[in-house]
Amino acid sequence: MSLDLSSDTSARPTTRYGSNSGQPLTRRDGILKVTGQATYAADNHPAQLAYAVMVGATIARGRVTAMDVEAASRHPGIIEVFTPDNAPAFAHDPDEKMPPFGFRLELLQNHSVRYAGQPIALVVAETLEAATEGAHLLQPVYETDEARTGLENGVQFDPQAVGVGGPPSTSHGNLDTAFAASETIVEAEYSTPAQYHNAMEPHAVVAEWNGNHLTLDMPNQALAMSCASYARYFDIPVENVVIRSPFLGGGFGSKAILNGPQILAIAAARKLKRPVKLALTRAQMYGPVGHRGQTWQTLRMGLSADGRLKAIHHRSISATSSFDDFLEPAANASLPLYAADALLAEHKGLRLDIGTPGPMRAPGEASGSAALEVAIDEAAEACGLDPLEFRLLNYAESEPGSGRPFSSKALRECYERGAEVFGWQQRLRAPRTMRDDNGLLVGWGMGTAVFPCPMFPAQARTTVRADGSVLVETGGVDMGQGAWTALAQIAAEALGLEAHEIEFRSGVSTLPDAGVAGGSGHTASAGLALSNSGLDALAKLAEIATNDPDSPLFGAGNIGVLPRGGRLVRRDDESRGERFADILTRAKQSEVIGEAKSMREPGNAEKFAMYSHGAVFAEVKVDPDLGQIRTTRMVGAFAAGRVINPRLVRSQYYGGMIWGTSFALHEAALIDHRTGRVMNADLAEYHVPVNADVPSLEAILVAEDDPYVNAIGVKGVGEIGITGTVGAIANAVWHATGRRVRNFPIHIEDILGL
């Protein structure tokens, strides 16, 4: 397989024998998907299947006073209509949060309405059409209270935590002293809208009970964790719950957390003693399954006379629901990136009559960096410095506050490589001075990308059989990012094999727990467990062979052995060795099983700050008369540890940059402030980019060898591409037009000053 190495030093194939880790393999599941053979959750049709349709509230605050259950029940094919009057009870109180990621849920336990789209009934029928018509016939009647939908009428409060349990305020240094010593102070306000995950595959479940055993076909990003949660809701042993999730049509965080509609469908299946399928419509995904909450941010920066940052004060008011807390930790985006003598990142909460927000691709980092990177450009402008020059002067070489050094020094190379490929040196500094041959205004902007490198507990199992075949297993999740392909490459590398030579199983909860597919940590977490389990299996093979007088490896225990293409060979003489199969056959063993967990070296976590870094450069063109904006070119340079599969990594960077384009120019939920309902709850009116919106993308893979992040050197790439892109585009718009827009997404009327 050929590979162009001209621009990607990190894409060079590994020199390790018998491994294709580092090669741009195509997806293991690609043919199944493009030929329609991939089975998604809603594609399952067990015998006697019934169909459920959720009924969502059409008001944002109040209570249901009546529903025409009789009319719905009379409709042909209706099996049962579930309302608060006959809803099943649950072993776990749905108004009690379930750690670590559980939220308060609406499970028909009362008639109150807390947001538009909340489940208020579930109709089950013999066909989807009958269930849909039955849901329509319910015609709910409401007692309505005024909806709290924005900063003007929401209720502010001091949160106990932001994001997933993070502190609401973080600081270092003396902010007052640093501002007093500043030559220049820059301050501005920014806002980001509510955004919805809109995965291509809607949330769905096919629930089937067999006595006290529950089988769920559903898209899910956290198989083992979800099994434990469902077991608590239905008071059954966790081992009685099986989740099958071989294919996901996207998740972006929303499918890692339990939601009300799916639990109601499971409860219906239990009561009716037959399988039940529920698939949300596109419109129903705007409410009960999470979203990125709105933010209103203020950034204040103090600068010295030579352009160095003295102080950063980043404040965010983050929206959440009236009954639960998930606050976008936007202000925390300022914590790891720029060096300043003093910094304070703090959050306020705002209670609105909305569904509870949740993690959505780069939660906190996306919305916070959008504001931060525009503010950084404004600070550069105030100092009379080029935006790249200002960032090179001020980026942190160790984690601000803690002083822990970053585990890699690759950010400067990202700046330099990205600027060189983009041609940044040709940029005219003054705004509104560059035009193309057609008279369109041309703007160039940049932003810094950064994302942490989490690891989650994960387990894996490797079985080497007496016929020489190898099976590797972990209960991982592939949401379309190519995880199964990359994980198989990691597993094969540990065994000295090619990825196509191993049997790889994943996507079901009965396999070893692969942890959470989120936070850009899945490949590192599950990958390290797979690598370790392979090494454990090889160690057991080596123990057999080096103690067997009939083996060519006898007595090589102190010298050591290496895996080479299905063989173990002596470390000091690779001509002496034997096949895995021969070792097991002579020992009269059918197989050896290696099992392992993954964890980061605790000492490294204490000594080093671990992040992926990058820099994004964007070109926009703006019609000077109409104000129409087009992103015409983007270049991103990223350093994210060891690259297992450059094809997949580049695809993830492209996806992040495209998402950043959506954030900057297109994407927002529009709320009807009279009813509290989302007005554009479909993919016709909820705008996301199409091919014409992103004509040119380039992702540069900057080589980075990070020996501290984990034993396989892998970091995540799924979210970092968003973080620099939003600000880069907004800064390019300013450079093209001279208008500094601080509210996202940027609209034509912002450019025209309407």
Side-chain angles (χ1 to χ4, degrees):
M1 182 178 293
S2 63
L3 175 63
D4 180 7
L5 303 175
S6 58
S7 63
D8 289 338
T9 56
S10 66
R12 293 192 176 97
T14 177
T15 57
R16 297 188 188 184
Y17 179 89
S19 169
N20 47 25
S21 184
Q23 296 281 3
L25 301 187
T26 55
R27 298 170 189 257
R28 295 174 72 89
D29 53 356
I31 292 177
L32 293 175
K33 288 182 175 179
V34 299
T35 58
Q37 299 177 70
T39 303
Y40 292 84
D43 294 331
N44 291 279
H45 297 86
Q48 294 189 308
L49 179 66
Y51 296 81
V53 168
M54 183 198 85
V55 180
T58 56
I59 66 168
R61 185 181 177 203
R63 63 188 307 272
V64 179
T65 58
M67 283 189 280
D68 198 343
V69 176
E70 183 178 349
S73 300
R74 286 199 308 265
H75 185 73
I78 297 296
I79 300 170
E80 184 75 79
V81 178
F82 293 95
T83 73
D85 295 327
N86 66 339
F90 295 92
H92 176 79
D93 181 356
D95 260 336
E96 179 185 333
K97 294 168 76 78
M98 187 184 296
F101 299 136
F103 291 100
R104 296 184 175 96
L105 300 177
E106 305 75 28
L107 298 178
L108 305 183
Q109 301 303 291
N110 56 60
H111 292 279
S112 66
V113 175
R114 303 192 283 200
Y115 62 90
Q118 173 188 317
I120 58 172
L122 188 79
V123 179
V124 184
E126 298 290 351
T127 66
L128 176 61
E129 292 79 7
T132 302
E133 181 62 21
H136 175 73
L137 290 170
L138 282 175
Q139 295 294 306
V141 178
Y142 303 97
E143 179 183 288
T144 305
D145 296 324
E146 180 185 358
R148 297 163 295 189
T149 60
L151 197 59
E152 301 76 15
N153 62 353
V155 179
Q156 289 196 36
F157 68 101
D158 293 318
Q160 298 298 307
V162 296
V164 184
S169 176
T170 304
S171 65
H172 70 262
N174 188 307
L175 204 65
D176 291 338
T177 300
F179 274 120
S182 298
E183 181 74 17
T184 304
I185 294 177
V186 176
E187 183 172 2
E189 296 180 351
Y190 309 83
S191 68
T192 64
Q195 300 171 343
Y196 285 79
H197 298 82
N198 271 311
M200 186 176 294
E201 176 197 25
H203 291 68
V205 63
V206 176
E208 185 170 11
W209 289 86
N210 183 6
N212 220 24
H213 292 257
L214 173 62
T215 300
L216 301 172
D217 291 294
M218 66 190 315
N220 189 286
Q221 294 178 235
L223 300 178
M225 185 177 71
S226 297
C227 285
S229 299
Y230 287 123
R232 287 183 61 182
Y233 267 104
F234 292 98
D235 194 23
I236 59 176
V238 65
E239 59 269 21
N240 287 15
V241 183
V242 175
I243 298 178
R244 299 184 298 209
S245 192
F247 300 98
L248 277 77
F252 314 124
S254 69
K255 292 173 181 172
I257 297 170
L258 270 62
N259 61 73
Q262 289 177 325
I263 293 177
L264 289 172
I266 297 167
R270 189 182 213 182
K271 182 174 182 181
L272 299 176
K273 295 182 172 56
R274 60 187 291 186
V276 170
K277 177 193 290 190
L278 170 73
L280 297 187
T281 65
R282 179 64 54 183
Q284 289 174 335
M285 293 173 68
Y286 292 75
V289 293
H291 67 281
R292 193 193 307 279
Q294 287 178 271
T295 72
W296 296 264
Q297 302 175 53
T298 303
L299 267 147
R300 187 171 186 242
M301 294 182 173
L303 303 156
S304 66
D306 62 354
R308 293 186 181 274
L309 282 165
K310 301 288 290 180
I312 301 174
H313 187 188
H314 193 162
R315 291 169 285 169
S316 178
I317 300 173
S318 301
T320 189
S321 67
S322 65
F323 57 94
D324 206 349
D325 296 347
F326 185 91
L327 280 73
E328 188 80 356
N332 290 349
S334 287
L335 295 177
L337 196 49
Y338 296 108
D341 296 341
L343 182 147
L344 171 60
E346 58 180 345
H347 298 81
K348 290 277 190 181
L350 183 72
R351 296 211 179 278
L352 303 176
D353 296 312
I354 57 175
T356 304
M360 181 171 168
R361 201 174 186 183
E365 289 88 0
S367 51
S369 66
L372 173 64
E373 289 304 306
V374 174
I376 287 292
D377 253 42
E378 295 191 66
E381 181 188 357
C383 296
L385 295 177
D386 173 83
L388 175 58
E389 181 184 3
F390 184 83
R391 286 172 172 84
L392 287 169
L393 182 66
N394 284 289
Y395 80 93
E397 295 191 357
S398 61
E399 187 177 51
S402 75
R404 293 182 302 168
F406 291 124
S407 53
S408 171
K409 305 295 185 184
L411 178 55
R412 176 173 285 272
E413 186 174 354
C414 292
Y415 283 140
E416 293 171 349
R417 290 279 303 281
E420 178 184 3
V421 172
F422 186 80
W424 184 262
Q425 65 275 13
Q426 304 299 320
R427 179 182 184 269
L428 301 179
R429 183 170 297 179
R432 208 177 174 92
T433 55
M434 296 173 63
R435 291 182 182 251
D436 70 2
D437 293 340
N438 296 315
L440 297 178
L441 298 168
V442 177
W444 289 2
M446 69 167 296
T448 307
V450 65
F451 201 81
C453 301
M455 284 194 67
F456 304 108
Q459 304 171 29
R461 181 168 57 235
T462 296
T463 304
V464 181
R465 305 186 183 107
D467 63 0
S469 64
V470 177
L471 168 67
V472 296
E473 301 171 290
T474 189
V477 175
D478 194 328
M479 294 177 285
Q481 75 273 41
W484 287 9
T485 305
L487 291 176
Q489 289 179 260
I490 294 171
E493 177 183 56
L495 296 162
L497 297 169
E498 302 289 339
H500 69 268
E501 295 177 306
I502 66 172
E503 180 184 354
F504 180 81
R505 291 182 185 170
S506 197
V508 61
S509 63
T510 53
L511 298 177
D513 177 14
V516 178
S520 295
H522 192 45
T523 302
S525 303
L528 181 56
L530 285 164
S531 180
N532 288 345
S533 71
L535 296 176
D536 186 49
L538 292 178
K540 292 176 179 178
L541 277 174
E543 178 72 15
I544 296 170
T546 58
N547 289 287
D548 182 354
D550 294 328
S551 171
L553 299 173
F554 178 66
N558 291 332
I559 297 170
V561 297
L562 298 170
R564 292 288 186 260
R567 295 166 52 86
L568 285 183
V569 300
R570 288 177 64 104
R571 185 180 295 273
D572 63 341
D573 182 1
E574 294 193 12
S575 67
R576 299 172 62 186
E578 64 178 333
R579 298 185 308 144
F580 299 165
D582 294 337
I583 296 170
L584 290 171
T585 299
R586 192 169 50 253
K588 295 182 171 56
Q589 289 189 212
S590 61
E591 62 186 23
V592 293
I593 298 176
E595 297 180 304
K597 300 180 180 180
S598 67
M599 64 179 298
R600 177 175 285 144
E601 171 59 44
N604 289 345
E606 294 172 2
K607 294 176 184 176
F608 297 96
M610 298 178 184
Y611 293 87
S612 299
H613 290 99
V616 180
F617 297 82
E619 176 185 88
V620 302
K621 293 187 177 181
V622 181
D623 187 306
D625 300 314
L626 302 179
Q628 185 183 52
I629 309 165
R630 285 292 176 90
T631 303
T632 48
R633 188 165 60 99
M634 283 194 291
V635 173
F638 303 96
R642 182 166 171 239
V643 173
I644 299 300
N645 186 315
R647 182 194 300 270
L648 301 177
V649 166
R650 187 175 287 106
S651 177
Q652 287 294 288
Y653 289 149
Y654 288 164
M657 293 161 72
I658 292 168
W659 194 304
T661 304
S662 186
F663 195 125
L665 299 179
H666 301 273
E667 189 171 350
L670 304 177
I671 308 299
D672 184 335
H673 295 288
R674 300 165 301 175
T675 64
R677 294 167 62 180
V678 177
M679 296 186 289
N680 56 334
D682 55 59
L683 290 181
E685 300 296 333
Y686 186 94
H687 294 162
V688 294
V690 297
N691 287 351
D693 293 310
V694 191
S696 176
L697 279 175
E698 184 171 357
I700 302 166
L701 279 59
V702 174
E704 180 185 34
D705 181 13
D706 189 334
Y708 307 111
V709 66
N710 52 60
I712 56 177
V714 170
K715 298 181 178 181
V717 298
E719 293 162 282
I720 187 173
I722 305 172
T723 62
T725 302
V726 186
I729 292 173
N731 292 331
V733 169
W734 170 82
H735 185 237
T737 65
R739 287 192 175 274
R740 183 66 75 181
V741 183
R742 302 183 180 91
N743 304 310
F744 294 98
I746 301 171
H747 292 130
I748 289 175
E749 52 266 36
D750 299 318
I751 303 304
L752 298 178
L754 300 178

